[in-house]
């Protein structure tokens, strides 16, 4: 899966939860610029940070990939 696809899914989930980029970044322990870069597809991420972001959103990591989770 491409970085852009993950970024688009991240942005969609962030908006669904009602978080601003700042709120999500603070909750996930990353910078706002890091969230922006992932959402725009200009930066990849690693499993550890994806886990932190998913936890901050209250979703399974699989949701960031656009997969169904059970």
């Amino acid at each position: 899966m491409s970085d852009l696809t993950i970024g688009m899914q991240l942005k969609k989930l962030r908006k669904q939860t009602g978080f601003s980029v700042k709120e999500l970044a603070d909750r996930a322990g990353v910078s706002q610029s890091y969230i922006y870069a992932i959402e725009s597809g200009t930066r990849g991420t690693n499993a550890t940070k994806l886990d932190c972001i998913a936890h901050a959103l209250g979703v399974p990591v699989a949701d960031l990939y656009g997969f169904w989770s059970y």
Side-chain angles (χ1 to χ4, degrees):
M1 176 159 293
S2 74
D3 293 334
L4 182 57
T5 305
I6 291 171
M8 290 168 47
Q9 188 67 11
L10 171 58
K11 188 172 189 174
K12 176 183 162 188
L13 290 168
R14 178 179 60 78
K15 288 185 174 200
Q16 284 178 350
T17 60
F19 292 143
S20 67
V21 170
K22 180 179 181 350
E23 289 170 318
L24 177 57
D26 289 347
R27 292 172 64 101
V30 298
S31 69
Q32 291 179 59
S33 61
Y34 189 78
I35 298 294
Y36 280 123
I38 295 170
E39 287 185 351
S40 67
T42 59
R43 180 175 185 163
T45 188
N46 61 47
T48 302
K49 289 196 177 167
L50 273 182
D51 187 55
C52 291
I53 292 167
H55 186 267
L57 288 167
V59 300
V61 173
D63 286 6
L64 292 172
Y65 290 96
F67 300 140
W68 291 98
S69 57
Y70 298 94

